[in-house]
Amino acid sequence: MTVDYDHLHKTIQALTENERDAVALMATVACEVHHSDDRFDWTGFYRVTEPELLKIGPYQGGHGCLTIPFSRGVCGAAARSGEIQLVPDVDAFSDHIACASSTRSELVLPVHDASGALIAVFDIDSDQPDAFTTADADALAALLKAVFG
């Protein structure tokens, strides 16, 4: 099964209409995105809870790391730079944090609130190498902006 981003966007929009609680929004997005595509092995949010620190938020899949500093890993790179991280081979990413040994590729997107403040990163791991495309990144960035922005 491959994600239909139009359908996914409409579904999430309908489920989250008038909801403003960030954790409720994250839980709904993580669930819907996770179940939309077989490539998505772990799907979730790492929330900014302190300066330069991410903590696990709502997710789907096996366990995740509890904390990730901005200075480490793919999630930290997305938080630190404010840029989408599209990693086709996590073993080639010099500072990858292996929260799950099954992860082969990763897509991490910064999540900003309406004021532009970084509130989280959205992390999608795949047990397949080179699982994500720029089209995935663009569609998910638009979805996150619609929900949180």
Side-chain angles (χ1 to χ4, degrees), residues 10-83:
K10 288 174 185 169
T11 300
I12 290 174
Q13 187 176 28
L15 290 169
T16 60
E17 187 175 0
N18 298 319
E19 181 58 60
R20 295 292 160 242
D21 181 80
V23 174
L25 293 169
M26 288 177 191
T28 302
V29 169
C31 180
E32 292 300 318
V33 171
H34 184 76
H35 293 287
S36 71
D37 195 307
D38 293 335
R39 296 173 296 162
F40 303 165
D41 191 50
W42 192 95
T43 309
F45 290 87
Y46 283 96
R47 301 170 303 115
V48 178
T49 58
E50 298 174 34
E52 307 293 311
L53 184 67
L54 299 165
K55 285 197 178 184
I56 192 79
Y59 68 92
Q60 299 279 309
H63 69 83
C65 295
L66 295 181
T67 61
I68 298 175
F70 280 28
S71 61
R72 299 226 24 245
V74 181
C75 290
R80 186 172 63 250
S81 70
E83 296 177 1

Side-chain angles (χ1 to χ4, degrees), residues 105-143:
S105 58
E106 192 166 359
L107 173 60
V108 182
L109 302 100
V111 180
H112 297 92
D113 65 14
S115 73
L118 179 72
I119 59 168
V121 298
F122 186 48
D123 181 17
I124 305 175
D125 297 350
S126 181
D127 56 5
Q128 304 169 27
D130 201 15
F132 307 108
T133 66
T134 55
D136 292 315
D138 293 344
L140 289 164
L143 186 147

